[in-house]
Amino acid sequence: MTTPMASPDPSTSVVPFVVGLVIALALIWAVWMGIRFRRREPGPPDPADQPKLPRTGPVEEVREMREPDEMPHTDDGGSRLPPHELPGFGNAGSKRSTDQRPRHWSRDGGDAAGSGGPGRT
């Protein structure tokens, strides 16, 4: 006695094919649209449009030491100054230091490394 084999349902093979076809068409359409948008963009600038050095030559970096400003005190019990009213944020000038040598850390000064703490144990 032979049992007939069940015929496969056509939807199990057609649906994944249609979904894959739709995804492939969507990707082709996206690439095509990207190429169209890219063609509308302006090209790279000409060498004549590139920036040029000034006649005096390249601009050099200027380094100078500035005097530190004192933090304003409110000893009269007034309110604290908000950050935008503190000096040095565009509302108060700073002055050039007379000593233009760069400041270096002293060997006896405190720093975080080697502070004597045991660290994580």
Side-chain angles (χ1 to χ4, degrees):
M1 181 152 129
T2 57
T3 56
M5 296 187 79
S7 63
D9 187 17
S11 66
T12 58
S13 60
V14 173
V15 171
F17 176 75
V18 171
V19 170
L21 187 64
V22 168
I23 290 173
L25 290 175
L27 290 173
I28 291 171
W29 177 82
V31 169
W32 179 71
M33 290 298 290
I35 291 172
R36 284 187 57 202
F37 286 137
R38 187 74 188 245
R39 284 186 182 157
R40 288 189 219 159
E41 291 179 357
D46 293 331
D49 296 335
Q50 298 293 332
K52 294 181 176 47
L53 282 175
R55 291 183 180 164
T56 57
V59 179
E60 295 186 21
E61 180 179 343
V62 177
R63 290 186 180 206
E64 61 181 19
M65 302 299 156
R66 309 295 288 176
E67 284 289 326
D69 287 332
E70 273 299 313
M71 189 72 168
H73 297 286
T74 56
D75 293 333
D76 59 349
S79 63
R80 297 178 356 183
L81 291 176
H84 67 277
E85 291 180 0
L86 292 174
F89 288 95
N91 58 0
S94 61
K95 54 188 174 189
R96 188 173 192 265
S97 176
T98 54
D99 182 19
Q100 288 296 308
R101 289 178 291 153
R103 295 173 181 87
H104 296 287
W105 294 102
S106 64
R107 293 211 178 265
D108 298 331
D111 59 354
S115 60
R120 189 174 223 178
T121 55

